[in-house]
Amino acid sequence: MAELIDGKQLAKTVNAQTKQAVTELKTRGVNPKLIVILVGEDKASQIYVRNKQRKAVQLGIISETTRLPEDVSQAELLKLIDQYNHDDTVNGVMVQSPLPRQIDEAAVTRAILPTKDVDGFNPENVGQLYSNSNLNFPVSCTPKGIMSMLKAYQVNLAGANAVIVGRSNIVGRPMAALLLNASATVTVVHSQTKDMKEYTRNADILIVATGIAHLIKGEDIKPGATVIDVGMNRDENGKLTGDVDFDSAEPVAGKITPVPGGVGPMTIATLMQQTVELTKWSE
Ligand code: NAP
């Protein structure tokens, strides 16, 4: 049976470090502040935003959620972002997705100041990541959290065959860049890939982020591989389930993340960690 990569436990450790860092900053009169902008009434987004706010408060980070109506114009949203960009007390700004149709998501990511871009989506930060810059810059929190998990569980990256299923801007692409920067040999597969499972079966590290429940089965995994399941899908009973069929994958994999309790808690812990990093970098 595979060793379980316990994201929940690891998130506790990261959160404790973040709390400690916040305490130290406060002794110097600095209090990290995170702004989350929520547009519209999407139920899942409301839950995500509430969880982020709760975690921030637990760790001593000042967190404000700004709610905007579903029909807010792009100009109004950009104006608000600009206000936070110019507010010296604000260290991190993020806009919860999905956004309503009248808003151009790319314009929003461009508008957030790179030094306050806690989600790491601004093209300037994406460019730093792709050029393997040695400067300090924020990175998309889910793949950054996965890198922390791989490190904590001593997964060898240099020279490893890493296969990423999914090429989104939030997960797949930044994950590929992080792994390449860590000297893995990286392949990204997606919905147009021919014989996708030919690739997954050769992966020493397999990262799956598709949003398709149980797309990857035990037979698609190389024995002993490290399997990271990013998927968060609801089954017919409302139960959270991953993109990997855990029951058939666990006997084959060497290490594996559960869903829930894997990547999810580490994403939020990384968001808090990165809020503090942005605060320190701006000092
Ligand atoms: P996304 O933007 O919808 O991207 C999905 C990717 O999967 C696309 O690149 C798509 O390929 C690819 N894909 C779809 N069907 C495929 C197939 N049959 N074979 C191979 N590739 C396929 O999704 P996302 O934002 O990356 O999220 C993916 C999943 O992770 C979702 O369940 C989401 O809820 C979850 N997630 C979890 C966290 C967390 O913290 N745990 C964070 C972010 C996302 P094309 O590009 O060709 O369409």
Side-chain angles (χ1 to χ4, degrees), residues 191-252:
S191 71
Q192 305 293 307
T193 301
K194 293 191 186 83
D195 299 328
M196 188 256 290
K197 292 181 177 178
E198 289 295 313
Y199 296 91
T200 64
R201 280 195 277 267
N202 278 313
D204 302 313
I205 301 167
L206 179 61
I207 297 176
V208 190
T210 65
I212 300 176
H214 299 181
L215 176 68
I216 299 295
K217 313 263 189 285
E219 67 201 30
D220 310 320
I221 295 170
K222 180 177 174 180
T226 297
V227 179
I228 307 287
D229 188 353
V230 185
M232 286 203 311
N233 315 291
R234 295 270 166 201
D235 71 8
E236 59 278 9
N237 304 315
K239 198 171 155 257
L240 203 60
T241 178
D243 292 355
V244 175
D245 176 33
F246 189 86
D247 291 345
S248 66
E250 192 190 20
V252 183

Side-chain angles (χ1 to χ4, degrees), residues 134-160:
N134 59 5
L135 300 175
N136 291 322
F137 59 90
V139 175
S140 180
C141 294
T142 298
K144 184 170 172 171
I146 292 171
M147 292 302 280
S148 302
M149 296 170 100
L150 295 173
K151 187 172 180 207
Y153 281 81
Q154 293 168 353
V155 177
N156 243 341
L157 302 181

Side-chain angles (χ1 to χ4, degrees), residues 110-126:
R110 280 196 303 272
I112 297 173
L113 205 63
T115 50
K116 299 191 182 191
D117 173 33
V118 72
D119 264 336
F121 297 160
N122 182 293
E124 188 175 316
N125 289 322
V126 174

